[in-house]
């Protein structure tokens, strides 16, 4: 069983990623760390506690993290996830509190205790970057970082950048350029990882307290995507990162150079990945340093999500 830590900013798709992890018998969710992103750190932390309460898994520790990015001004995404960060459903009041230890220390200590920790950052990378800088030796105890962030195509918060990386580009650059196995799961594949209203209807027919809340959250998320982006279905971005840790190979990846633009006026927060292998000499990175997702087995991904929700019947 793989040791897993999810660093998140719940967020509807963060919630799905947590529920997928909790339902799997192939990963042990050792800790949840929270970061400001979709909403403020107070709201994302409260939301993480609410999701664990919903799943009756308050045994999993929640550690509150960084409330602001390293350098840039703070951006949030209330227009997508609502004022609470998890609008659209009647989640329970939290029956657990964050632990005293900060998220940065929790990442470092969980890695040291595990010796082979899988980390799924699915929000801005501030916590992970600070942990790597403050405790550089933890790279020896991290098996893999599979992050939802970036894109090899167009962005969603600017034409060039994806939200998680745009919200803290300097932190993302630290993570991409660290000496650790990093897999980037960008919008270019998560946009394919969509659930539609038929899937939501199947989840609602499972008729448990948990699956009803999941169906309500997904309905809210679907409404936002269909009205704001005129999409058919809703991308469950963050669950793609957890799915790849649960079942390696659900993503197709290219091993190449990848890092983050932190200086461009129009391209600030853009992930730049050499998926076509056009260059063999990159600034700051010694050799191909990342696995970049270029495709996803959508049918298997959807099956994994629905199978996970079945366990909450
Ligand atoms: O761009 C998508 C990412 O931004 C997801 O992690 C979503 O939860 C938001 O944080
Ligand atoms: Ca997120």
């Amino acid at each position: 069983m793989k040791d897993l830590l999810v660093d998140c900013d719940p967020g509807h798709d963060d919630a799905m990623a947590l529920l997928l992890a909790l339902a799997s018998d192939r990963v042990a969710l050792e800790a949840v760390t929270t970061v400001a992103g979709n909403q403020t750190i107070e709201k994302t932390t409260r939301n993480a506690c609410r999701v664990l309460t919903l799943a009756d898994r308050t045994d999993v520790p929640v550690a509150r993290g960084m409330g602001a990015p390293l350098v840039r001004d703070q951006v949030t995404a209330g227009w997508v996830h609502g004022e609470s960060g998890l609008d659209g459903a009647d989640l329970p009041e939290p029956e657990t509190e964050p632990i005293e230890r900060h998220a940065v220390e929790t990442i470092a200590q969980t890695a040291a205790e595990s010796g082979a920790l899988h980390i799924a950052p699915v929000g801005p990378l501030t916590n992970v970057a600070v942990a790597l800088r403050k405790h550089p030796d933890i790279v020896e105890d991290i098996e893999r970082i599979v992050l939802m962030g970036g894109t090899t195509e167009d962005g969603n918060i600017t034409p060039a950048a994806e939200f998680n990386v745009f919200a803290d580009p300097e932190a993302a650059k630290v993570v991409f350029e660290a000496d650790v196995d990093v897999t980037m799961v960008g919008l270019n594949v998560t946009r394919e990882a969509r659930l539609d209203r038929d899937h939501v209807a199947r989840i609602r027919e499972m008729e448990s307290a948990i699956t009803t809340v999941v169906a309500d959250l997904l309905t809210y998320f679907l409404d936002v995507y269909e009205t704001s982006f005129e999409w058919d279905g809703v991308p469950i971005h963050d669950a793609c990162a957890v799915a790849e840790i649960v079942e390696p190979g659900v993503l197709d990846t290219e091993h190449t150079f990848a890092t983050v633009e932190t200086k461009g006026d129009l391209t600030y927060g853009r992930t730049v990945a050499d998926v076509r292998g056009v260059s063999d000499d990159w600034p700051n990175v010694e050799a191909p340093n990342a696995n970049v997702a270029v495709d996803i087995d959508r049918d298997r991904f959807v099956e994994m999500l629905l199978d996970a929700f079945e366990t909450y019947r």
Side-chain angles (χ1 to χ4, degrees):
M1 196 174 232
K2 298 170 190 170
D3 296 339
L4 171 66
L5 181 147
V6 175
D7 185 75
C8 56
D9 62 335
H12 290 69
D13 52 329
D14 306 70
M16 303 305 141
L18 290 172
L19 292 171
L20 174 61
L22 290 167
S24 173
D25 60 5
R26 288 182 273 184
V27 297
L29 184 58
E30 298 295 338
V32 174
T33 52
T34 60
V35 64
N38 284 322
Q39 266 298 351
T40 62
I41 187 62
E42 291 78 15
K43 293 178 179 178
T44 60
T45 304
R46 181 171 185 275
N47 289 338
C49 294
R50 294 168 82 193
V51 172
L52 292 175
T53 300
L54 175 73
D56 196 21
R57 288 300 308 275
T58 54
D59 58 294
V60 178
V62 175
R64 173 179 163 141
M66 303 295 281
L70 298 183
V71 174
R72 63 158 298 147
D73 60 316
Q74 183 153 18
V75 287
T76 57
W79 56 285
V80 176
H81 299 276
E83 188 52 35
S84 73
L86 275 181
D87 280 16
D90 187 17
L91 278 130
E93 287 304 301
E95 292 170 5
T96 182
E97 291 288 321
I99 58 175
E100 279 302 307
R101 193 177 54 193
H102 191 275
V104 167
E105 301 313 318
T106 297
I107 291 169
Q109 191 158 343
T110 308
E113 288 164 0
S114 164
L117 184 64
H118 292 70
I119 302 177
V122 294
L125 289 153
T126 319
N127 290 334
V128 179
V130 174
L132 289 167
R133 278 282 194 265
K134 189 161 184 267
H135 304 281
D137 295 348
I138 63 172
V139 296
E140 304 307 322
D141 295 321
I142 296 173
E143 182 71 21
R144 199 176 174 198
I145 294 177
V146 183
L147 63 92
M148 191 280 136
T151 182
T152 62
E153 295 168 353
D154 53 320
N156 60 355
I157 186 80
T158 74
E162 176 278 330
F163 177 80
N164 287 340
V165 174
F166 182 73
D168 197 339
E170 288 75 13
K173 182 177 174 67
V174 165
V175 176
F176 273 92
E177 296 182 7
D179 183 16
V180 68
D181 183 335
V182 171
T183 296
M184 169 185 130
V185 190
L187 293 174
N188 52 298
V189 298
T190 65
R191 280 177 167 143
E192 302 306 316
R194 300 207 293 265
L195 293 181
D196 60 28
R197 292 195 187 273
D198 289 343
H199 296 130
V200 176
R202 282 175 55 185
I203 296 163
R204 195 171 294 284
E205 285 161 12
M206 296 174 187
E207 289 189 326
S208 75
I210 297 178
T211 53
T212 299
V213 168
V214 168
D216 289 344
L217 286 171
L218 289 172
T219 300
Y220 177 91
F221 210 24
L222 264 161
D223 290 345
V224 169
Y225 266 82
E226 287 181 358
T227 50
S228 305
F229 303 103
E230 293 170 8
W231 279 27
D232 170 28
V234 62
I236 315 301
H237 304 286
D238 294 342
C240 297
V242 169
E244 172 61 21
I245 293 172
V246 167
E247 188 167 303
V250 74
L251 298 176
D252 288 339
T253 62
E254 289 288 336
H255 187 61
T256 184
F257 294 98
T259 187
V260 179
E261 177 55 73
T262 56
K263 296 185 175 57
D265 291 335
L266 299 175
T267 56
Y268 185 48
R270 167 84 186 171
T271 47
V272 183
D274 188 15
V275 288
R276 299 192 190 287
V278 297
S279 169
D280 55 8
D281 178 21
W282 277 53
N284 297 351
V285 283
E286 287 304 312
N289 62 303
N291 302 299
V292 177
V294 292
D295 201 359
I296 186 168
D297 181 341
R298 180 188 181 247
D299 292 342
R300 178 61 188 142
F301 171 75
V302 170
E303 185 181 29
M304 288 176 72
L305 268 186
L306 295 179
D307 287 350
F309 297 138
E310 281 283 351
T311 70
Y312 294 113
R313 262 189 187 270

